[in-house]
Amino acid sequence: VNPHIDDGGSSAVRLQNPFSFFGHTYSQIYVNNNGYLTFDQSWKNYTPIQFNVYSGRDVIAPLWTDIDNRANGVISYNQYSNGSVLSQATRDINQYFPGVNFNASWVFVATWDRVAYFNYSGTETSFQVVLISSGHASFVLMNYGPIAPTNKPLAAGYATDGTDWFTILWSNVSDHVNFSNLSNMSNVNVSGRWAFGVNGRPRDSTTKDTIRAVRLKLTTSLNIKDNNNKTIILQHLQDELRRRGTPANVRVKLTCIQKKRP
């Protein structure tokens, strides 16, 4: 159990099995009170950085925000190498990623149970992150219970010190995003649950050969009304999908272009 300290966290937790995260293999982990895991050292940062521009540290963040567990809430963690938790993890991963033939050998669970936001807000927010490994393949589950409203900066997802990242939701103070929706959102058709493959390429459910569509958000300075630029963009997108394990029969086309901001 983590100490009841604002911006605190666990000491280094020695992992019973090494965990691979996008090409890096780790033997220790830190559970930071402000809603995220780090591998190299503990971190007190309570203001999340937008993951698509983040670099410098591997972070797994089920709910990165300014959490204060001094008044209420328990932050705990445990790891398992046998028993029903491994059986459940094996069933879940094989359900969410058909064809991987996965057998869990180790599971790490960190839970933020009814924690409050800074400063003694009296709110209760619950979420969890689960690291699962077979020794060869690695997966992450993020589970969400009730999420209390807040206007604090908040992020959910993961980032690496390289090019791999995924944002479930992100908000700065002015956005006022309703993060209570996390309890209902999912990428695996289970309310409040997200699942990712994180040991390398392919990264997540794009390993499936049953893909019908992929939606990508692109930021570019190119004039996308120019046909030559469209060709360049499409080729880059197709190359990126291949790099992430998308089957070769998936073709990319631009179906909608909308300029939202200057």
Side-chain angles (χ1 to χ4, degrees):
V1 176
N2 276 14
H4 292 268
I5 301 173
D6 184 37
D7 300 332
S10 72
S11 56
V13 180
R14 186 65 54 182
L15 302 182
Q16 296 172 0
N17 286 60
F19 184 74
S20 178
F21 186 69
F22 293 109
H24 292 172
T25 300
Y26 294 101
S27 59
Q28 67 179 24
I29 202 165
Y30 296 84
V31 181
N32 301 287
N33 283 7
N34 287 321
Y36 55 91
L37 307 177
T38 49
F39 297 96
D40 57 343
Q41 63 184 44
S42 61
W43 210 17
K44 296 182 178 181
N45 197 339
Y46 56 82
T47 302
I49 302 170
Q50 196 168 3
F51 295 143
N52 62 342
V53 296
Y54 176 79
S55 63
R57 175 172 283 135
D58 287 350
V59 176
I60 300 175
L63 200 68
W64 182 355
T65 190
D66 194 358
I67 290 173
D68 189 346
N69 68 335
R70 290 177 293 176
N72 60 270
V74 175
I75 303 170
S76 61
Y77 54 90
N78 206 345
Q79 50 187 324
Y80 307 84
S81 56
N82 56 65
S84 60
V85 173
L86 263 66
S87 300
Q88 183 64 55
T90 296
R91 289 193 296 270
D92 288 344
I93 297 305
N94 283 300
Q95 176 184 345
Y96 305 148
F97 301 87
V100 299
N101 194 25
F102 183 79
N103 187 29
S105 60
W106 171 85
V107 174
F108 179 89
V109 182
T111 305
W112 288 255
D113 183 30
R114 294 174 290 181
V115 294
Y117 302 122
F118 181 85
N119 176 14
Y120 300 123
S121 64
T123 58
E124 294 187 354
T125 290
S126 297
F127 57 94
Q128 184 180 73
V129 61
V130 183
L131 277 55
I132 304 170
S133 175
S134 66
H136 301 286
S138 304
F139 295 86
V140 170
L141 303 182
M142 297 183 185
N143 300 315
Y144 297 95
I147 307 297
T150 181
N151 62 354
K152 297 180 180 296
L154 194 154
Y158 61 78
T160 71
D161 63 357
T163 60
D164 293 286
W165 55 271
F166 189 94
T167 302
I168 298 174
L169 285 175
W170 181 84
S171 172
N172 60 25
V173 175
S174 62
D175 282 341
H176 297 290
V177 176
N178 183 7
F179 277 89
S180 63
N181 290 335
L182 282 169
S183 301
N184 301 313
M185 297 169 61
S186 176
N187 67 340
V188 290
N189 201 30
V190 179
S191 293
R193 171 168 288 187
W194 292 73
F196 306 99
V198 298
N199 58 298
R201 307 292 188 266
R203 183 174 67 180
D204 51 29
S205 57
T206 58
T207 57
K208 299 179 182 179
D209 58 9
T210 56
I211 292 174
R212 295 182 179 180
V214 177
R215 184 174 66 181
L216 299 170
K217 179 180 179 180
L218 174 70
T219 301
T220 179
S221 60
L222 294 174
N223 177 7
I224 54 181
K225 291 184 178 181
D226 183 275
N227 287 331
N228 289 333
N229 288 339
K230 284 184 181 179
T231 301
I232 294 172
I233 292 170
L234 286 169
Q235 186 60 54
H236 279 304
L237 293 177
Q238 189 122 339
D239 291 345
E240 179 65 13
L241 289 173
R242 296 295 174 271
R243 188 174 71 88
R244 298 185 182 278
T246 309
N249 63 341
V250 174
R251 300 301 175 189
V252 180
K253 64 179 180 179
L254 296 178
T255 58
C256 179
I257 297 173
Q258 181 179 3
K259 186 175 181 181
K260 293 185 177 181
R261 297 178 181 177

